[in-house]
Amino acid sequence: MSEQERSQERAQQQSQNTGRGFGSGAGGPHAGQEQVQRQTQESDAAFDALLDQIDAVLETNAEEYVRSFVQKGGQ
Amino acid sequence: MGIENEYGVAVEGVHGDRVDPITLSAAVVTAGTSLASRWDYATESPLRDARGYHLPRHEALPDQLTDETRYANRLLGNGARFYVDHAHPEYSGPEVTSARDAVAWDRAGDLIVQAAAEQASATLGERVRVFKNTTDGKGSSYGCHENHLVPRGVPFDAIVEGFTTHLVSRVPFTGAGRVGIGQHGEVTGFQIAQRPDFFEARVGLETTVRRPLINTRDEPHADVLRWRRLHVITGDALVGQWGTWLKVGAASLVLQAIAAGLTWPSVLNPVAAFRAYSHDPSLQQRWTCSDGVDRTAVEVQRMLWERVSPVVAGAVGEWWLDDAGAVHAAWGQALDDASRGADALADRLDWAAKYRLLQGLSQRGGLDWSSPRLAALDLQWADLDPDKGIGLTLERQGALRTVVTPAEVEHARTEPPATTRAWLRGWVLHHFAGHVVQATWDQFTVQVGGRVVTVRLPEPLDHTAARWDHALDEVTDAAEMLRVLETGGARLERS
C-alpha cells in the first residue's frame, strides 16, 4: 500500500472515531453520529469476517500459484 | 447482442509453460458438451474489414484465420457455442435482447465451463482450473468480447467517434481490477481494469496484436445488407453479474444513441486515456476532451448518460434492448455513488470489491503491491470453482450483487433465449440433434431421409419462440419439422 493510501486510510479512520465520548442516548446532538459509528463498526466487523474467510480460502503458496499461471495470448 | 469469453485455463500445481494449452482447452471443451453439433464455417469472414476491403489470406496473421477447422467446436442446446479459440476454452453466448438475458446466458457459460473443467479433471487425473479473467499478468491477454447488432446504415465513422469515448471512460463501471500495471506487470500498483494496457491502436482488424479500441472485423453472421455486428474487444471479464449487466446494457444504450444520430464530445488520444483512467483507482484522473473540457472518467460517463437519455425514453430511434430503462437508472445511480469513491461501488463492481479486499489484506499483513499474496487474490478472484473463487464467494455472502436468480441461470444452461434466432437453433438441437449435420449462428443443415437441407437464419431477431413454438409443438419427426418451417416462411435450401 502506498504512503498516500495509508494516510487516506488513517484520515478515514479518524473521521469515523469522531463522536466517541460526545453525548449519549437517543435524541442527543451526536446520536446520529453514534448510529453511523455503530453501523460503521458493524460493517467493519462484517468486513473483518469476510477478510477472515478470504484469508482461509486463499491459496497457501501464493508465490508459486501466481508464478505458475501462464497463458497464451488470445483475442 | 451477446457475450463471448475466452477463459484462462491451468492445471493445479503445474507451471503453465509445461502445459499444452490447446490440448488442455480441447479436453475441457470436449468434456463439456452434451448436446452438440459440428460447427459450420461457411459463413465466417474473419478477414473482411468494416472499412471496405478484404485482407488477403496470405497477408493475414495465422491468428486471424479463425475459420480453419482445427479445434474442438460445439454448438450447444442453449444456443451458445463452446470451442477452443487461440489456446483458450471459449464460450460464446447466444443472441439476446436484454442485458439481463446476456447475464443469465453468460453466467450459464461460466457454469458450463466449470463443469467441463471438473469433468476433464476426472478424465485427466489432474485438477483443471478455469479463470474468468483477461490476462496472466505476464504479457498475455485474452478477451471478453461483446457483440452488438447495429443497423448497417449507421456510418462506421460515427461509431468510431462516439463509441470510443464510451469504451475508454467506462472503466469505473466495468473494470475487473488488476494487481500490476503494464503488460508484464512491470510497475507495482493496482489498476481498475485488466485490458487497457494491451490496447495500442484506435481502429484496426487485428485482435491478438496491436489491439484496437474499435475492431473493424465485419462478420455479421446475418443479412450483411441490413446488419453490422460490432465486435467489442476492450472489456474485462467480470465475475460479478451486476457489472456484466451494466457493461453490456450501457454499451447498447450508447450505440442506440449513435444509431439515432446523437453525438457528443470525444476523449482525445483515447488509447492513452484508456490506460490513464485505468491506472487511477481514486477516479480523479482528468483527460482533455474535444470541447476543451478536462473530464474524469466518471464525468465523461455522466455526460454520456445524459446524452443517451432521449433514446431511453423512447423519444429518438428504435431499438430492441428490453431493459433499457433499468440499465439507465442503475447507471445513473452508480454515477452518483462513484462520487464517493471506490468503496461505494464495492457491492457491485469487481474492481471495487477486489480493491477493498486487497486494501484490507495489505493492512492486516503489512503488505505492499509487490506482495504475492495480493497477486494471488487477484488471480483467485476469477477462479470459477465456487469453493475457491473469491468473486463467487463474495456473491454467496451477499457482498456482490446479483441480477438473475439461480433458477434463471439453470434454465439458461440448457434452454436458448426465446427472443432471438438462438431459440430455433436450440429447439432443433433439443429435438433432432441426430439429424443436424452442421450449424452456425445464421444457418443449420439437417439430413432427413436422403435429403440434405439448410435452413438460413439471416435475421437475428427472427425465428423466435413467438414465431415457431406453437407451430413446432406437435411435430414428431424431422421431415415434419422441415415442412412446418417451409410452410411458415423459413428459407430452406436443398443441397
Side-chain angles (χ1 to χ4, degrees), chain B residues 186-394:
Chain B
E186 58 267 27
V187 176
T188 57
F190 178 85
Q191 61 174 312
I192 295 174
Q194 296 189 353
R195 286 283 267 180
D197 288 344
F198 296 94
F199 280 78
E200 293 161 10
R202 290 195 59 168
V203 184
L205 190 58
E206 301 92 340
T207 54
T208 59
V209 293
R210 292 190 304 274
R211 290 181 182 86
L213 297 173
I214 299 290
N215 181 226
T216 54
R217 175 181 296 173
D218 191 1
E219 197 181 28
H221 299 306
D223 183 342
V224 69
L225 297 177
R226 283 201 68 189
W227 297 113
R228 175 189 308 287
R229 173 177 64 106
L230 189 64
H231 184 234
V232 181
I233 65 172
T234 60
D236 284 359
L238 301 172
V239 172
Q241 292 181 7
W242 193 93
T244 301
W245 178 64
L246 189 67
K247 182 178 68 171
V248 297
S252 183
L253 289 177
V254 172
L255 287 170
Q256 182 181 355
I258 292 170
L262 301 177
T263 62
W264 39 76
S266 50
V267 172
L268 300 180
N269 200 352
V271 173
F274 196 29
R275 297 182 191 201
Y277 281 148
S278 179
H279 294 174
D280 178 39
S282 77
L283 304 178
Q284 298 305 304
Q285 173 74 52
R286 287 177 178 280
W287 204 262
T288 308
C289 299
S290 58
D291 58 351
V293 178
D294 290 349
R295 293 184 174 87
T296 64
V298 175
E299 285 166 351
V300 175
Q301 286 286 299
R302 172 66 78 182
M303 173 194 69
L304 288 167
W305 181 86
E306 285 165 1
R307 296 289 179 118
V308 309
S309 295
V311 303
V312 179
V316 187
E318 196 182 272
W319 206 249
W320 39 258
L321 186 67
D322 295 335
D323 49 0
V327 169
H328 194 246
W331 187 9
Q333 183 64 58
L335 283 160
D336 292 342
D337 292 338
S339 64
R340 291 185 284 122
D343 260 14
L345 300 171
D347 65 335
R348 272 162 283 179
L349 288 163
D350 286 32
W351 78 269
K354 195 188 274 188
Y355 193 40
R356 195 165 176 247
L357 287 180
L358 287 166
Q359 288 174 313
L361 267 194
S362 73
Q363 223 178 11
R364 271 192 183 189
L367 309 173
D368 61 38
W369 290 116
S370 66
S371 164
R373 200 153 168 74
L374 301 189
L377 188 149
D378 185 12
L379 175 57
Q380 204 171 330
W381 174 273
D383 191 329
L384 289 181
D385 183 338
D387 294 330
K388 291 268 193 179
I390 291 170
L392 291 175
T393 298
L394 248 69

Side-chain angles (χ1 to χ4, degrees), chain A residues 19 31 42 59 74:
Chain A
E42 274 164 14
E59 291 289 328

Side-chain angles (χ1 to χ4, degrees), chain B residues 47-201:
Chain B
L47 301 181
R48 187 167 69 213
D49 190 302
R51 291 166 292 185
Y53 56 83
H54 272 86
L55 186 67
R57 282 193 85 84
H58 63 268
E59 281 181 27
L61 298 169
D63 281 345
Q64 290 175 292
L65 298 171
T66 55
D67 57 346
E68 289 185 1
T69 314
R70 275 185 289 211
Y71 312 128
N73 204 333
R74 304 283 193 277
L75 187 68
L76 304 180
N78 69 348
R81 181 185 174 196
F82 191 31
Y83 58 118
V84 176
D85 191 11
H86 292 88
H88 296 270
E90 176 157 344
Y91 170 89
S92 192
E95 307 91 314
V96 296
T97 55
S98 69
R100 202 148 177 282
D101 277 356
V103 172
W105 271 270
D106 186 61
R107 176 56 67 92
D110 294 347
L111 295 184
I112 288 169
V113 173
Q114 175 58 27
E118 286 168 16
Q119 183 63 50
S121 299
T123 308
L124 295 171
E126 302 264 18
R127 199 80 179 83
V128 179
R129 299 224 164 274
V130 283
F131 297 84
K132 197 173 185 191
N133 57 16
T134 54
T135 180
D136 61 2
K138 302 174 183 72
S140 289
S141 185
Y142 33 100
C144 172
H145 301 166
E146 302 150 64
N147 295 290
H148 292 270
L149 202 65
V150 179
R152 181 60 66 166
V154 178
F156 197 69
D157 286 348
I159 296 172
V160 173
E161 189 67 25
F163 200 50
T164 300
T165 296
H166 177 64
L167 291 179
V168 305
S169 65
R170 68 177 183 169
V171 291
F173 306 109
T174 60
R178 186 180 154 211
V179 173
I181 297 170
Q183 292 189 3
H184 297 265
E186 58 267 27
V187 176
T188 57
F190 178 85
Q191 61 174 312
I192 295 174
Q194 296 189 353
R195 286 283 267 180
D197 288 344
F198 296 94
F199 280 78
E200 293 161 10

Side-chain angles (χ1 to χ4, degrees), chain A residues 6 19 28 39 43-45 53 70 72 75:
Chain A
R6 276 199 212 95
Q39 278 170 357
S43 64
D44 278 347
Q53 216 183 352
V70 177
K72 284 282 183 291
Q75 295 199 57

